[in-house]
Amino acid sequence: MGLRCLGLTWNNSNAFGEAAADLREPHGLTELGQRLVARANDAGVLLDLSHASAATFWDVHRASRSPLLVSHAGLRALRDIPRNIDDLQLLALARSGGVFGVVWHSGFLTDLPEGETVAPLGALLDVYDHAKALGAVASLALGSDLDGGIHPPAELATIDGLPALGLGLRE
């Protein structure tokens, strides 16, 4: 009926799988989640793993015949939090022909000094540089999550900052 993308989890685990912010037993996809992956593949629906735990990510990686999608997250190599993906996940996503949307939330991009909520644009650009060094830059997209109550880098606080992002990416 037109559905093309489905978030498998959000901040809470559910009947389909374990969320990064809500680890539980058993880890990863449930039996119902396994069936959802197969049905989504058959229907041409991409599953968004942005909020999924690492175990859920890897279960979907093994079960899916479709490219992987993480529409908005950061990289654990730069900010080690459960919602970010690690280098092996990024490489698996890239090899699947999938897409990784780099989130703009400062707290996902870098460790911030006590009391600070906004990172510099360079913290966002570091994600692209890291992915390029791994050979996964072709999978990257903008995954701003601007509707999620986030704190974007200072230079991207308004639409006026977009040229700075373009310049930074070119550099």
Side-chain angles (χ1 to χ4, degrees), residues 57-166:
F57 177 98
W58 289 114
D59 285 350
V60 172
H61 176 261
R62 284 186 290 276
S64 183
R65 301 178 315 273
S66 296
L68 300 176
L69 170 65
V70 174
S71 67
H72 59 290
L75 295 179
R76 283 199 186 157
L78 302 174
R79 176 78 164 105
D80 189 11
I81 59 172
R83 272 274 283 111
N84 286 346
I85 66 170
D86 65 30
D87 289 352
L88 291 177
Q89 288 171 296
L90 178 61
L91 290 170
L93 179 147
R95 288 186 185 122
S96 80
V99 174
F100 177 73
V102 180
V103 73
W104 293 9
H105 182 51
S106 294
F108 285 20
L109 299 172
T110 189
D111 288 314
L112 297 167
E114 184 70 32
E116 294 290 324
T117 59
V118 177
L121 180 60
L124 177 64
L125 297 173
D126 288 346
V127 176
Y128 290 90
D129 289 341
H130 187 81
K132 183 177 180 183
L134 291 175
V137 74
S139 295
L140 298 185
L142 300 177
S144 67
D145 199 23
L146 288 176
D147 65 338
I150 68 162
H151 298 283
E155 296 86 344
L156 298 176
T158 68
I159 193 107
D160 295 340
L162 286 177
L165 175 59

